[in-house]
């Protein structure tokens, strides 16, 4: 029932043309995922559930306020008819709040840290589809200055926040915030490219979480010991981290290059330069993880049965998604000069 509710809530929101139906879909989705987050019977899980509920409830209230104000002014509940500037701004903030982008991003690292890796995967991938679809639908009515400002802020916070983390779930949370910054920024100029960027990010994040789950990997210290049992997983995670950072020739480089090309085409060279600089900040913690996995030999090489050796799970989905997340950059279309 919970899985069906989470799926149906998102699909209902993505396929609706009316604000009330979109809101009902988001509420159904939010109420269904609360028991999933609180499944571990720990204090941290209860805290994460409370934080998630309060944040999403406030965002839903803001969404209702924006849509009601717009209907009061225009007499229309249609999603594409969000013409009122006040309503558009409030709606943008509520959708960014639901996704976990800056400036209302504080809940995301804490919620991911308080729950399981599978739930963290769900929150960083599936839960973003409905809000990003609504933002795509109203993107032509949002003021570009707002999207660019919040996008750059998310990129800076996502980069700086991940630098000092030792917990992998918090690192992935800041990685998500950073990527949402790129998506939000380009939404003002090319909404289709924003959707492509978020879908490629989901493709890269999913196998990382699958591998972290199969090896019970939660901290950088855990990560440094995986090479003793699974060399393939170790190399794959290192390469996926580099792909997520946007290094060529991996898949993650493709959307960033297309976004920078679009910004330069729009005569926004300074913004493109700023985007590259913030990307270098996030590259720092991705490279640190890669260095720790591939270039350091851990002193913990005892033959005892430890937690990352106790499980031997293989996922066909992970096997299929890993090459996709690494090596589809060569499919990039020729960019006219």
């Amino acid at each position: 029932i919970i899985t069906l509710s989470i799926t149906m809530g998102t699909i209902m929101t993505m396929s609706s043309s009316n604000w009330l139906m979109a809101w009902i879909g988001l509420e159904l989705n939010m109420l269904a995922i609360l028991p999933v987050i609180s499944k571990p019977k720990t204090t941290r899980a209860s805290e994460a559930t409370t934080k998630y509920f309060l944040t999403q409830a406030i965002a839903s209230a803001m969404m209702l306020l924006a849509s009601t104000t717009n209907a009061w002014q225009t007499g229309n509940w249609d999603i594409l008819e969000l013409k009122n500037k006040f309503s558009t701004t409030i709606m943008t903030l509520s959708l960014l709040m639901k996704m976990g982008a800056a400036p209302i991003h504080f809940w995301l690292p804490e919620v991911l840290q308080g729950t399981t890796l599978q739930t963290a995967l769900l929150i960083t991938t599936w839960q973003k589809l409905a809000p990003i679809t609504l933002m795509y639908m109203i993107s032509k009515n949002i003021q570009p200055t707002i999207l660019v400002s919040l996008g750059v802020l998310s990129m800076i916070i996502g980069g700086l926040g991940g630098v000092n983390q030792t917990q992998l779930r918090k690192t992935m949370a800041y990685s998500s915030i950073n990527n949402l910054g790129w998506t939000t920024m380009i939404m003002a100029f090319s909404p289709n490219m924003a959707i492509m960027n978020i879908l490629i990010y989901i493709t890269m994040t999913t196998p990382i979480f699958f591998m972290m789950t199969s090896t019970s990997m939660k901290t950088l210290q855990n990560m440094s010991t995986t090479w003793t049992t699974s060399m393939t997983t170790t190399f794959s995670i290192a390469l996926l981290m580099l792909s997520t950072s946007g290094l060529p020739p991996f898949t993650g480089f493709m959307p960033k290059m297309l976004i920078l090309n679009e910004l330069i085409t729009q005569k926004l060279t300074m913004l493109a330069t700023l985007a590259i600089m913030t990307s270098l900040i996030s590259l720092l913690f991705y490279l640190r993880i890669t260095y720790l996995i591939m270039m350091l030999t851990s002193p913990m090489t005892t033959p005892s049965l430890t937690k990352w050796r106790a499980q031997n799970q293989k996922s066909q989905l992970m096997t299929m998604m890993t090459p996709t997340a690494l090596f589809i950059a060569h499919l990039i279309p020729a960019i006219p000069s």
Side-chain angles (χ1 to χ4, degrees):
I1 291 174
I2 288 173
T3 306
L4 183 65
S5 299
I6 292 172
T7 309
M8 287 303 297
T10 301
I11 293 173
M12 186 189 299
T13 302
M14 292 172 70
S15 58
S16 62
S17 60
N18 185 291
W19 278 119
L20 282 178
M21 287 303 294
W23 178 78
I24 291 170
L26 285 170
E27 288 300 293
L28 176 65
N29 179 280
M30 185 259 286
L31 291 172
I33 203 175
L34 291 178
V36 179
I37 300 173
S38 62
K39 188 180 178 184
K41 303 304 179 203
T42 61
T43 311
R44 295 208 68 162
S46 303
E47 182 186 337
T49 310
T50 308
K51 286 178 179 175
Y52 186 84
F53 172 73
L54 291 175
T55 313
Q56 299 295 318
I58 293 168
S60 295
M62 289 170 64
M63 189 175 166
L64 264 186
L65 171 66
S67 55
T68 308
T69 307
N70 184 69
W72 179 41
Q73 294 284 335
T74 63
N76 201 331
W77 285 95
D78 198 314
I79 291 177
L80 299 175
E81 298 298 322
L82 195 71
K83 304 292 186 185
N84 186 288
K85 284 189 176 181
F86 170 79
S87 299
T88 309
T89 306
I90 296 295
M91 184 64 72
T92 306
L93 287 172
S94 73
L95 293 175
L96 288 174
M97 190 174 181
K98 278 193 169 291
M99 288 188 288
I104 319 168
H105 64 281
F106 304 101
W107 63 271
L108 186 60
E110 297 300 321
V111 169
L112 291 200
Q113 185 60 30
T115 188
T116 62
L117 286 166
Q118 294 95 327
T119 312
L121 168 64
L122 190 65
I123 292 171
T124 50
T125 55
W126 182 259
Q127 295 298 97
K128 286 184 171 51
L129 293 179
I132 205 76
T133 305
L134 291 175
M135 188 176 282
Y136 176 83
M137 293 172 76
I138 65 170
S139 58
K140 290 182 180 177
N141 299 325
I142 306 174
Q143 294 176 340
T145 313
I146 296 173
L147 287 176
V148 170
S149 304
L150 296 178
V152 171
L153 184 63
S154 292
M155 289 156 67
I156 293 170
I157 289 173
L160 292 175
V163 168
N164 204 29
Q165 297 297 331
T166 56
Q167 297 288 334
L168 288 176
R169 279 169 293 183
K170 282 193 174 181
T171 304
M172 294 307 295
Y174 282 108
S175 165
S176 171
I177 294 167
N178 178 267
N179 187 269
L180 280 174
W182 283 85
T183 306
T184 308
M185 178 182 66
I186 198 60
M187 185 72 79
F189 310 107
S190 178
N192 291 337
M193 204 172 287
I195 295 295
M196 181 198 70
N197 183 55
I198 198 76
L199 290 178
I200 288 178
Y201 175 74
I202 289 172
T203 307
M204 292 185 295
T205 304
T206 305
I208 292 177
F209 272 107
F210 275 143
M211 290 177 191
M212 286 165 61
T213 306
S214 66
T215 54
S216 298
M217 192 189 302
K218 291 176 182 172
T219 64
L220 291 179
Q221 186 180 14
N222 293 157
M223 188 172 262
S224 65
T225 54
T226 51
W227 65 273
T228 55
T229 53
S230 179
M231 291 294 289
T232 310
T233 303
T234 305
F235 280 116
S236 296
I237 286 191
L239 293 176
L240 284 166
M241 287 291 179
L242 291 178
S243 180
T244 312
S245 70
L247 278 183
F250 300 115
T251 301
F253 173 66
M254 179 174 69
K256 289 193 175 180
M257 189 175 80
L258 289 172
I259 288 171
L260 292 174
N261 179 71
E262 179 67 24
L263 290 176
I264 292 168
T265 305
Q266 299 280 353
K267 302 289 190 294
L268 296 166
T269 313
M270 287 301 294
L271 182 59
T273 308
L274 183 60
I276 293 171
M277 297 302 289
T278 56
S279 181
L280 287 175
I281 301 172
S282 62
L283 181 63
L284 178 62
F285 66 82
Y286 288 118
L287 280 178
R288 184 180 66 164
I289 293 172
T290 308
Y291 174 74
L292 190 65
I293 300 175
M294 301 185 71
M295 299 186 185
L296 289 184
T297 305
S298 169
M300 298 171 65
T301 54
T302 60
S304 60
L305 185 70
T306 42
K307 64 178 178 179
W308 52 86
R309 300 180 187 179
Q311 300 177 7
N312 185 20
Q313 301 174 355
K314 290 184 180 178
S315 166
Q316 292 181 347
L317 183 62
M318 179 175 74
T319 309
M320 289 187 293
M321 290 190 73
T322 304
T324 310
L326 287 175
F327 302 118
I328 62 167
H330 65 280
L331 299 178
I332 188 170
I335 300 175
S337 57

